[in-house]
Amino acid sequence: MNIEFKYALGDIVRTQRGEEGKVVALSVAEGRTDPLFRTCRLELDDGTQAWVPEFRIDRVVGWR
């Protein structure tokens, strides 16, 4: 199965909540309404990591 992600590893993105972080992992799971639910694991500026659904990412702000 081929899954198309909008974002790539190393992209620095901003979420709808205003958090910025580097994409360090990508994952797919079954969603409640959609057959596939794409998520990105972000490494935030303070060193913590958080899983964010792809649709909650606002835009790319840079690359590393």
Side-chain angles (χ1 to χ4, degrees), residues 6-8 10-23 42-45 56-64:
K6 290 182 183 180
Y7 307 99
D11 286 352
I12 300 172
V13 297
R14 178 174 291 139
T15 68
Q16 293 174 346
R17 297 167 119 188
E19 301 168 320
E20 285 187 15
K22 179 173 74 166
V23 177
L42 303 182
E43 184 176 282
L44 305 176
D45 292 337
R56 296 256 187 236
I57 295 176
D58 195 26
R59 64 188 176 113
V60 174
V61 294
W63 299 268
R64 284 190 191 168

Side-chain angles (χ1 to χ4, degrees), residues 24-56:
V24 294
L26 303 167
S27 180
V28 176
E30 288 185 28
R32 291 183 198 155
T33 57
D34 296 327
L36 297 177
F37 185 77
R38 295 179 299 229
T39 60
C40 299
R41 185 171 174 180
L42 303 182
E43 184 176 282
L44 305 176
D45 292 337
D46 62 1
T48 61
Q49 295 187 353
W51 283 101
V52 177
E54 194 177 63
F55 63 85
R56 296 256 187 236

